[in-house]
Amino acid sequence: MKITFALNGRETTWEIEPVETLLEALRRHGLTGVKQGCDTASCGVCTVLLDGKPVPSCAVPAARVDGHAVLTVEGVPEKARAVGEALAAEGADQCGYCAPGLVMSLVAMEQEPGPPDEDKIASYLAGNLCRCSGYASQSRAIKKYLGGKP
Amino acid sequence: MAEQQYFKPRSVDEASALLGDHPGAVIIGGGAYVRLGSRKITTAVDLFDAGLDYVRAGADGLELGAMATFRMLETDSLVNGYADGVVSRSVERIVGVQMRNITTVGGTLYGRYGFSNLITALLALDAEVALHRAGRMPLERFFTTKPDPGDILTGVILPDLPWRAAWRDLTRTVNDYAVLNTAVAVREGQARVVVGARPGRGVRCAEAEAALLAGGEGAADKAGRAAAAELEFGDDVRASAAYRRELCGTLVARAAREVLS
Ligand SMILES: Cc1cc2nc3c(=O)[nH]c(=O)nc-3n(C[C@H](O)[C@H](O)[C@H](O)COP(=O)(O)OP(=O)(O)OC[C@H]3O[C@@H](n4cnc5c(N)ncnc54)[C@H](O)[C@@H]3O)c2cc1C
């Protein structure tokens, strides 16, 4: 079946399988920035934004996004670089596999009204599992990235 | 294998017609449990664009559309303002923001999951469900009627009642499934005590409710002891039945103390 949607701001038409996941369709079409993790909606590694909201693409049917907007890490290259540098500076990134999902969660968090305080950062990090560095260093890196708050 | 089809109806009527035309079609709510890859789905009817993703003040109370997500319940000011925000508290720590952006009210209720936090909270507030074919009924009745695979849950109505309510659960890690969950709600002459993840589904505890209504010294502790004594508990990977019984007394008493204070 065909779907037409806004992919990283550009109208896109793809031929997809009726029951494949958004994660599968994205990777099959070369958007390999989005990674597969647990494949059960638990780990956040496959996070992309659907209509501006962070979602686990492993649990979103590809057909669902027809007529909607999807943003992946490929659509935010400057942010991805800046977040990557902040993570590296705090030793908050080792294998890097969770970073694309983390970047997309941060993009979503920044769009929310109100300043991203400690609680909000913790609540977003809870959905992005990292098995290398732990969350204290990530939390520090995110705060630095967001503007050098203590 | 039959050719697979995926439909995205723009209304509940359209969805219902599709289900009628395609016996065996699977409704997709949040889709978190439908597991596209691991099930032989020939026809999927996705409610994403069917206009059910709302939270609104209706004529009879607060209305939660079947496609309202946990994230909406967590952040919406109407839901936070209803019954001391007990519905928001019940879902706000489940997994992560991403997952809460997809999981829905309808998928959770239709799934009748034993571990469900939302089911426990809604049962304590005398919630009603609206079904496309079967109409409106109390949530408790919905759970005791045989599910009709061709019907669609369109939403939940939380009657305008001045509940004071509290939520308690225990998880082994912050975002895990609950070992046990409880919601306690009171208003003039009424009390509700619901305990779920026993690991069976949330149910009301008549004896505990009677203890709260009787009031007096130590009513909260009496309600806890009554709930622990009257309910059935089971073993699973998270805890033993004996542990759950112990825990039930404590969590119910704590929630009850909060609503009585
Ligand atoms: C990783 C993970 C962890 C979780 N942890 C917890 C937890 O700690 N606590 C907790 O309470 N819950 C937890 N859940 C469960 C979750 O909260 C939802 O209850 C569950 O995902 C089902 O919701 P859904 O919207 O994804 O439903 P779906 O997967 O879309 O559907 C579930 C079932 O309901 C049917 N259905 C869906 N919508 C309708 C409708 N409107 N009318 C009729 N039938 C319908 C579907 O056909 C399907 O059979 C977890 C889920 C996941 C994936």
Side-chain angles (χ1 to χ4, degrees):
Chain A
M1 66 183 287
K2 271 195 170 45
I3 55 168
T4 298
F5 65 113
L7 173 61
N8 295 329
R10 201 173 286 162
E11 188 175 291
T12 304
T13 299
W14 279 354
E15 186 62 39
I16 59 151
E17 297 296 323
V19 296
E20 72 182 323
T21 65
L22 179 57
L23 170 66
E24 289 164 335
L26 287 167
R27 290 188 57 86
R28 200 157 48 72
H29 285 87
L31 285 100
T32 50
V34 52
K35 306 297 180 204
Q36 177 179 5
C38 69
D39 211 22
T40 61
S42 311
C43 77
V45 159
C46 67
T47 300
V48 301
L49 305 198
L50 173 56
D51 296 337
K53 297 188 194 102
V55 295
S57 61
C58 74
V60 174
R64 167 168 286 195
V65 309
D66 182 49
H68 293 271
V70 174
L71 188 68
T72 72
V73 73
E74 285 85 353
V76 288
E78 280 91 41
K79 271 197 203 296
R81 198 166 308 116
V83 174
E85 277 163 15
L87 291 173
E90 287 297 328
D93 206 5
Q94 286 175 30
C95 82
Y97 200 72
C98 70
L102 186 59
V103 168
M104 297 320 290
S105 291
L106 282 180
V107 170
M109 187 173 77
E110 281 184 289
Q111 284 167 3
E112 278 192 14
D117 57 14
E118 192 91 37
D119 281 354
K120 193 181 271 184
I121 293 173
S123 130
Y124 268 83
L125 276 181
N128 282 91
L129 303 190
C130 169
R131 285 294 172 262
C132 296
S133 72
Y135 304 102
S137 54
Q138 287 194 345
S139 185
R140 278 199 310 275
I142 290 167
K143 278 180 223 153
K144 267 196 183 161
Y145 162 77
L146 291 171
K149 287 186 214 85
Chain B
M1 191 166 113
E3 203 187 323
Q4 293 180 317
Q5 283 178 295
Y6 196 99
F7 295 105
K8 283 214 305 171
R10 315 280 306 183
S11 70
V12 176
D13 285 334
E14 201 186 313
S16 183
L18 283 165
L19 292 173
D21 292 346
H22 301 272
V26 175
I27 297 180
I28 316 251
Y33 270 0
V34 172
R35 305 297 312 133
L36 287 180
S38 57
R39 239 167 95 177
K40 290 227 159 30
I41 297 176
T42 40
T43 309
V45 176
D46 183 347
L47 300 179
F48 195 57
D49 290 334
L52 295 174
D53 56 336
Y54 56 81
V55 169
R56 65 190 181 207
D60 303 331
L62 185 58
E63 298 180 355
L64 315 175
M67 292 298 285
T69 63
F70 282 15
R71 183 69 173 160
M72 288 166 73
L73 302 184
E74 173 193 356
T75 55
D76 185 275
S77 59
L78 290 174
V79 186
N80 275 280
Y82 183 90
D84 298 323
V86 72
V87 174
S88 309
R89 298 297 81 73
S90 75
V91 297
E92 70 189 359
R93 281 179 295 121
I94 295 177
V95 186
V97 172
Q98 298 85 346
M99 181 270 195
R100 296 197 296 276
N101 266 327
I102 62 168
T103 46
T104 64
V105 169
T108 299
L109 299 190
Y110 234 82
R112 298 159 188 243
Y113 306 112
F115 54 74
S116 173
N117 286 1
L118 180 63
I119 288 174
T120 295
L122 293 179
L123 280 173
L125 303 170
D126 293 0
E128 288 183 43
V129 295
L131 295 152
H132 187 64
R133 287 221 291 246
R136 255 167 86 159
M137 64 178 81
L139 181 58
E140 274 191 280
R141 176 134 55 83
F142 171 72
F143 285 136
T144 51
T145 4
K146 203 171 163 284
D148 170 359
D151 209 352
I152 300 168
L153 193 150
T154 56
V156 167
I157 302 102
L158 290 166
D160 268 326
L161 296 168
W163 293 114
R164 293 226 45 214
W167 175 258
R168 286 290 185 285
D169 63 10
L170 182 86
T171 55
R172 292 169 62 113
T173 62
V174 177
N175 308 98
D176 194 15
Y177 292 88
V179 170
L180 196 82
N181 59 40
T182 182
V184 174
V186 295
R187 62 188 162 89
E188 194 59 46
Q190 297 289 333
R192 303 285 179 269
V193 175
V194 179
V195 178
R198 299 169 290 111
R201 178 174 55 71
V203 286
R204 282 177 59 182
C205 325
E207 303 287 324
E209 292 175 0
L212 284 186
L213 284 176
E217 187 80 17
D221 290 319
K222 279 184 201 146
R225 280 196 296 275
E230 87 185 90
L231 292 175
E232 276 179 41
F233 300 92
D235 303 314
D236 68 3
V237 289
R238 290 189 173 75
S240 65
Y243 182 81
R244 285 190 159 99
R245 193 176 295 282
E246 222 18 75
L247 182 63
C248 175
T250 307
L251 293 185
V252 167
R254 284 182 187 165
R257 256 195 297 282
E258 185 178 321
V259 295
L260 295 177
S261 67

